[in-house]
Amino acid sequence: MKTSVRMPTVSTAKPQYPWIPITLILFLSTGLGFYKLGAESFWIDELYSIYDATSLNLTLSDMLGRFTQIRPIYYILLRIWMLFGEGEAWLRSLSVLFGIGSVFLTYRLGRRIAGEKVGLLASLMLSLSPLFIHFSQMVRMYALGLFLALLGSLALAYALETPKQKYLGIWAITRALTFLAAPLNATLLFPDIILFGLKFRKQPKTLVVFGKWLILIVLACLPSTFALVSKTLPFLKKSLDITNKVTALSQVASPNEYGEFLRKFKKLTAFPFPSTSKLMSLFFQAYNLILLALAGLAFYKNRFSNRLLWVTAWAFVPWLIHAAVSKSMFFDRYIVYTMPYLLILIAAGLVRMWKMHRMTAALVAAVYAIAVTAGIGRYYMVQDRQDWRGLSEVISQHEQPGDIILHSLEATNLDKLSNAFGYYYKGDALVTNLAGFCETPDIKKTDATLALENIPPIVTHLWLVCGSGFDEKVFQETFGEHLNLEAHWKFVNHAFYRQEDYMELFKVTPKLK
């Protein structure tokens, strides 16, 4: 008598609550985004944003007129947001919301590219990135630009599979809005064109449709482009000098330049701060190499390899463009919008490693967790922004009628600097600027005398706001016969890209002759 053996079956049922993991990640992102949101005062660029938004009138003509200027979308949104409050936490919360939205879009794009696990892991990595949290807690256009960039890439990912008009329309609208919010993010159009052109190179009608939408993007951005070009013309002339570019390309890149490219892996994922020890430096060198290996491993025997090329293009083509135009454009804040694509690639590599060798994958995940923990701990425990609030409070507590406040900080727009300073300082003292007055270590006494003649007569006290280039010995030697130093305060911030930065505040009185 034969007995039948029932073979085990593989369950194909979907999880009962598939939305729970991404919901938990979004809760985590929300908590990290709002945590200590108003703990530090605005730094100078945030105050510039507030100044630009405040100068906008919420009338149809003024708002439409803004589209002939740079970054109109962000300032219009910020101006509307300011109707409901102007505190640090409230104004920064606008960027936090776009940051949370970016985490969700990273999940959707990652899932579209390489599956559910990659989408979840990439969104978790993004929510834990200290650099991402930093720009999501800033009154600047970075979080909005990243959100719009992701939305455009997600639309194009659908269009690369099914080139329907609705997908191309969403892509075109969001790419235009991306440029109008954060112009540098428009470099994503280059990988967009490459990817779509290669995918549909044998379908000329589809390419024509794509071209029409591309023309609409250009036309929508043309007025703002004129403003951008006219404002940055000297920089563009230097950056686009063919002779300099040919000379640069003929030279072999230095090991430091290659190293900076590799260090972006560390900065965009877990630890965008200077290392404080040799051991930490060695750890993050190994960490960078691990992430590079994961990015390569993502393509190994992976059925999603073709789609992973999309995020590779979105991540690295902009890097190359930024670096080719100018090294100053390869700063972290200028390429932060490429972070989600890099994380999707790394997440795909880690998922692939997990399938190949779980013990190794667990070890790599532990290294990543250590790096992220160190980065988040450093971000929330160390002051990174200039303490304009504390500086203004000191002046307000000790000022007298007739005082003058002289800030010597360099600025391309002195009106913005003065008005930004006025956000925190609400007293009656005259606020004026004399760039480099006390930062220049080699200033001559004759220059100092002329500088003092260019400021209004000091009735009681002169409050002198200096930057980190201040040299007390040189200052005393230069100004000692003109000014008496009564009090000195130092406001320390560790900055995101330097070990330390300072703002010095001095209370001085003129010497009687």
Side-chain angles (χ1 to χ4, degrees):
M1 180 178 178
K2 292 183 179 181
T3 57
S4 60
V5 178
R6 179 175 295 178
M7 300 298 293
T9 59
V10 178
S11 176
T12 58
K14 293 182 178 180
Q16 189 174 2
Y17 302 105
W19 47 268
I20 289 180
I22 185 56
T23 301
L24 293 176
I25 291 171
L26 290 175
F27 273 124
L28 173 65
S29 179
T30 302
L32 292 174
F34 282 101
Y35 182 59
K36 288 190 173 183
L37 190 56
E40 297 183 14
S41 62
F42 293 125
W43 77 298
I44 195 65
D45 280 15
E46 291 181 286
L47 292 168
Y48 284 173
S49 294
I50 294 169
Y51 170 81
D52 285 329
T54 304
S55 63
L56 186 151
N57 294 318
L58 291 178
T59 61
L60 182 60
S61 59
D62 196 18
M63 286 192 288
L64 290 176
R66 284 285 173 146
F67 284 87
T68 62
Q69 300 177 20
I70 305 172
R71 297 189 291 268
I73 297 295
Y74 177 71
Y75 294 125
I76 291 173
L77 289 176
L78 181 60
R79 182 67 185 90
I80 296 171
W81 200 251
M82 292 175 69
L83 293 175
F84 306 96
E86 295 187 9
E88 291 98 335
W90 175 254
L91 293 185
R92 286 173 177 155
S93 65
L94 177 62
S95 290
V96 173
L97 296 180
F98 286 117
I100 297 168
S102 297
V103 171
F104 180 72
L105 289 177
T106 299
Y107 159 69
R108 291 296 304 272
L109 182 61
R111 186 178 70 171
R112 191 74 186 178
I113 295 293
E116 181 77 12
K117 293 179 181 178
V118 170
L120 289 171
L121 186 56
S123 62
L124 177 62
M125 288 177 168
L126 183 65
S127 65
L128 293 174
S129 166
L131 194 68
F132 171 74
I133 298 170
H134 176 65
F135 289 114
S136 294
Q137 291 189 330
M138 187 181 294
V139 186
R140 292 295 280 172
M141 65 290 177
Y142 301 112
L144 172 61
L146 192 153
F147 173 83
L148 291 170
L150 273 169
L151 189 57
S153 296
L154 181 60
L156 190 67
Y158 278 90
L160 286 169
E161 294 178 343
T162 309
K164 294 181 178 180
Q165 288 279 9
K166 63 178 181 179
Y167 298 142
L168 290 172
I170 295 172
W171 165 78
I173 292 170
T174 51
R175 283 293 186 253
L177 291 175
T178 299
F179 177 83
L180 295 172
L184 291 178
N185 298 21
T187 55
L188 287 170
L189 282 172
F190 291 93
D192 288 349
I193 294 170
I194 294 170
L195 292 172
F196 202 89
L198 290 175
K199 181 67 181 290
F200 299 104
R201 61 187 181 277
K202 296 181 180 180
Q203 301 180 34
K205 291 184 178 180
T206 303
L207 293 178
V208 169
V209 174
F210 179 82
K212 290 179 180 179
W213 284 110
L214 188 61
I215 291 172
L216 287 176
I217 295 174
V218 174
L219 293 176
C221 299
L222 209 54
S224 185
T225 302
F226 283 138
L228 178 65
V229 171
S230 62
K231 188 173 182 179
T232 60
L233 195 57
F235 170 78
L236 290 174
K237 285 181 178 179
K238 182 178 179 181
S239 298
L240 300 177
D241 189 321
I242 300 299
T243 304
N244 290 338
K245 293 302 176 187
V246 171
T247 303
L249 288 172
S250 64
Q251 298 174 350
V252 179
S254 66
N256 187 57
E257 290 175 320
Y258 288 121
E260 181 58 28
F261 189 89
L262 186 59
R263 281 190 290 273
K264 295 302 179 187
F265 283 78
K266 175 194 82 170
K267 292 180 178 180
L268 293 179
T269 58
F271 204 85
F273 318 98
S275 297
T276 56
S277 67
K278 182 65 175 178
L279 180 61
M280 180 178 289
S281 178
L282 291 173
F283 172 81
F284 280 106
Q285 287 178 28
Y287 174 81
N288 282 330
L289 294 174
I290 289 172
L291 295 189
L292 181 63
L294 286 176
L297 184 63
F299 293 92
Y300 180 70
K301 293 183 178 180
N302 195 328
R303 62 191 177 95
F304 300 114
S305 293
N306 289 336
R307 293 181 184 177
L308 288 172
L309 287 173
W310 304 350
V311 290
T312 303
W314 286 322
F316 297 122
V317 170
W319 287 21
L320 296 174
I321 295 172
H322 282 255
V325 173
S326 173
K327 291 181 181 179
S328 63
M329 287 179 60
F330 198 43
F331 288 160
D332 301 345
R333 64 177 179 269
Y334 297 139
I335 63 169
V336 68
Y337 66 94
T338 66
M339 184 190 300
Y341 313 116
L342 177 65
L343 291 176
I344 290 172
L345 191 60
I346 293 171
L350 188 56
V351 170
R352 185 63 191 155
M353 180 179 284
W354 179 261
K355 293 179 179 179
M356 294 171 59
H357 199 284
R358 293 193 174 185
M359 186 66 70
T360 304
L363 181 61
V364 168
V367 171
Y368 193 95
I370 292 171
V372 166
T373 302
I376 292 179
R378 161 64 171 73
Y379 176 73
Y380 286 115
M381 290 189 295
V382 177
Q383 173 149 339
D384 283 308
R385 294 175 174 90
Q386 296 159 324
D387 191 9
W388 288 95
R389 182 201 299 154
L391 184 145
S392 299
E393 288 175 354
V394 169
I395 296 176
S396 298
Q397 291 169 4
H398 299 89
E399 70 177 336
Q400 297 178 15
D403 283 3
I404 296 174
I405 299 172
L406 176 65
H407 54 78
S408 66
L409 306 179
E410 296 284 350
T412 55
N413 189 322
L414 296 182
D415 288 338
K416 280 188 179 182
L417 180 58
S418 297
N419 283 277
F421 180 74
Y423 176 87
Y424 283 109
Y425 175 70
K426 303 300 182 183
D428 298 322
L430 174 66
V431 180
T432 187
N433 174 269
L434 195 60
F437 181 73
C438 55
E439 278 83 10
T440 308
D442 56 349
I443 188 171
K444 298 178 181 178
K445 289 188 177 182
T446 54
D447 297 331
T449 303
L450 290 173
L452 289 170
E453 292 176 353
N454 289 328
I455 64 175
I458 305 170
V459 178
T460 50
H461 301 106
L462 173 67
W463 294 93
L464 194 57
V465 181
C466 304
S468 57
F470 174 77
D471 187 318
E472 186 171 356
K473 182 179 179 181
V474 173
F475 181 83
Q476 288 286 4
E477 292 174 353
T478 306
F479 296 96
E481 60 186 64
H482 302 286
L483 301 171
N484 282 316
L485 178 60
E486 291 190 6
H488 171 212
W489 294 265
K490 179 180 288 189
F491 301 87
V492 182
N493 67 288
H494 289 264
F496 231 61
Y497 306 105
R498 299 179 297 277
Q499 283 296 97
E500 287 183 335
D501 195 10
Y502 298 93
M503 283 200 303
E504 312 270 0
L505 176 64
F506 301 91
K507 181 182 178 183
V508 299
T509 55
K511 286 188 176 180
L512 298 177
K513 296 183 179 179

